[in-house]
Amino acid sequence: MYRLVISFLLLLSPVILKANDGYKLWLQYLPFENKAVADYYQDYLGNITLVGKSPTHEVIRRELEIAIEGFFKGTITPSIADHNEYGLIWIAKSEDLSGTFKAAIGEKSKEIKDDGYLIKYSQGKIVVTANSDIGLLYGTFALLKKIQTREKLEGMEILENPKIQLRLLNHWDNLNRTVERGYAGFSIWNWHRLPHHIDQQYIDYARANASIGINGTSVTNVNANALVLTPEYLEKAAALADAFRPYGIKIYLTARFNAPMILDSLPTADPLDLQVQAWWKKKAEEIYSYIPDFGGFLVKADSEGQPGPHNYGRTQAEGANTLADAVKPFGGIVMWRAFVYNEKTPTDRIKQAYDEFKPLDGKFRDNVIVQVKNGPLDFQPREPFHPLFGSMPETPLMMEFQITKEYLGQESHWVNLATMWEEVLQSDTYAKGVGSKVINVLDGSLHGYKLTGMAGVSNIGTDRNWTGHHTGQADWYAFGKLAWNPESHIEEIIGDWLKMTYSNDPDFVNPAKNIALNSYETLVNYMTPLGLHHIMARSHHWGPGPWVTGGGRDDWTATYYHKADKKAIGFDRTESGSNALAQYTPEWKNVWGDPETTPMAFLLWFHRVSWDKKLSTGNSLWDEMALRYQQGVEGARWMQNEWSKLEGKIDTERFTHISSFLNIQATEAEWWRDSCLLYFGQFSGMPLPKGVEKPKHDLQYYLNFKRNFVPGI
Ligand code: GCU
């Protein structure tokens, strides 16, 4: 009897007991949990018709086979017909649909755009249709997602068109396979083995990206090595492009601005020099001879030691346009980064990009899009939206988010980045009055941009689970979903991800979702509450470093940003200070201009506030700061505890991995709280309020704390 019960349980819960290293991401295609569910979907999945022939159709066929194998644990041999009137799932481009289906879909098909798709249930059958092969692939993934999340198929009608055209990952991967700000091992691009060896991981990478609508990848670091533009590497990049093409993913390369000098010993890289312009044109021609559908260049110029147009007294627009003219005849684009600042410019670092780019509005070629980080500083745990959004009506701007968590605890902290991204995307710029959200800038609706885009700095590496922390996969997933539609609901995104990746059991999904949704505020509290920023350790940015000062570049220190002294703390960015606030619309100037009306989240970002200032909570600034640090620590412990209750609900391998990372997170949250409060406490001179735990060590201990070989530099 005992044995029988065990084997019955084994049958029912294969997912729980089977070790899982996370490699399959959200494409687990977890087995149906019981016979009734299996029977329900079998009717459909056993009767699929896929019409048409192309490499993308082959990808669709293979994906369906993988899914069916997973759902039915290999007990069913997938058979997908080319043409069968009896198919219950019909996957066909609109031009390939037979009359009956055309009639069933009717006018709706007219609403499908380039990459879009329609899934419609009609008279017992499901039609997945699109105008392009890639649209069909996206539609197939969408249908598979419905089955992965165990939704009913009857009555289904989904029409989806992407709201953003360029949906890109940006890898900061070096040719030697180290990854700048990468915390999940080495670069997955094995350049040495390319072009001859196409690793299965490249294919799985393409599958994962296509499943969330990502349609481009820039494979090399923005701190660029010109070598990638040489035939040796172009041949390798072309092999990647060939592998990605059936998945609708274009390849882009980072261009080092002085490449003409490095590669061909030109005396200058001046963008207005005719020889230089000819060089880029020839280079573009060469690249397109290897990669006919090459996407274009991503450029970091005049920033953090990178060469750029400034070296020749030229503007960012003049620099961008030279490269843009070179790729234009081939349909290529240039993504020119707005992350331009210089320690020699005497203004507040966060003002510099706006000061430089705003006057250039309208001066860029029509195949240039300016890529702007979400906030004006540099991927801090919390920043207000970048003031360029809404300020460049004549120049398309695209968003750059950082999926890798350089300043957010790196690989070992669980923080649901989509919560932060949503906050930025939903911010109203008021550029054209109420309702001029960052989203409306990005999707082109506010200013009529012809090019639209969103890029995410990748968190992918050679770790078996791709992202170091298993939950880093959720950030990759959410990035794709938000790039497709920035209005997507983040609760739904995280819920779907949990179901597809782990289990459909609500007793797992609901509590895990709750942890994820609380994780962002928790992290902000134990790292940078009340609008503090850039107080991380020097160079590697892991762990606290509010004491970082001196060393040649003031704008890379912590003291530049928090300015703590015996009286007060915070950066005055109002008229009486750097006046960075002037870069925002009057609506924001009114809110953020006065400490009384500034939300506490941005208090010290915009204001210098005395330690004993009474805040709306009734606490002094010092007490509020200390209590928030404490709250953050308690939040991290709560996450640990909530997660521990989920033991047995998913496989032990991933459960344990996440548990041990949560332990690191809780310990590091204490480290942040204790060291920051000890450090700032020297200035406030005030005691810790009731409820805040005493630090474990003295300040000297934290000042001396040093770790060697922190990854990602
Ligand atoms: C940050 C990061 C750098 C990176 C830079 C960029 O400053 O620390 O490693 O190169 O951003 O976005 O270009």
Side-chain angles (χ1 to χ4, degrees), residues 582-630:
Q583 297 179 339
Y584 290 93
T585 44
E587 286 85 344
W588 282 117
K589 279 182 226 157
N590 286 341
V591 177
W592 289 335
D594 179 352
E596 301 298 330
T597 52
T598 303
M600 280 210 247
F602 294 125
L603 189 60
L604 303 178
W605 183 281
F606 287 112
H607 303 282
R608 229 176 126 56
V609 183
S610 61
W611 291 108
D612 57 0
K613 162 93 183 155
K614 251 246 178 27
L615 303 182
S616 56
T617 52
N619 296 320
S620 66
L621 175 75
W622 167 251
D623 282 2
E624 187 67 32
M625 183 185 286
L627 289 164
R628 284 188 184 228
Y629 270 112
Q630 176 67 26

Side-chain angles (χ1 to χ4, degrees), residues 20 28 46 214 290 353 370 389 393 462 465 539 580-581 623-624 688:
N20 193 325
Q28 299 278 334
I214 287 175
Y290 284 92
V370 174
F389 293 117
T462 48
N465 70 6
S539 159
L581 199 51
D623 282 2
E624 187 67 32
L688 289 176

Side-chain angles (χ1 to χ4, degrees), residues 172 180-181 222-223 300 304 337 339 373 378-379 400 406-407 541:
W172 285 359
E180 179 147 345
R181 312 308 177 184
V222 285
N223 295 318
K300 171 176 179 176
E304 302 181 333
R337 297 178 83 225
F339 186 64
K373 290 190 183 187
D378 187 11
F379 300 137
E400 179 177 310
E406 175 183 355
Y407 294 97
H541 301 154

Side-chain angles (χ1 to χ4, degrees), residues 165-166 333-334 366-369 396-397 442 444 449-453:
Q165 297 156 11
L166 304 161
I333 60 155
V334 170
D366 63 0
N367 60 334
V368 176
I369 184 162
L397 301 185
L442 295 176
Y449 291 163
K450 298 251 159 38
L451 271 178
T452 58

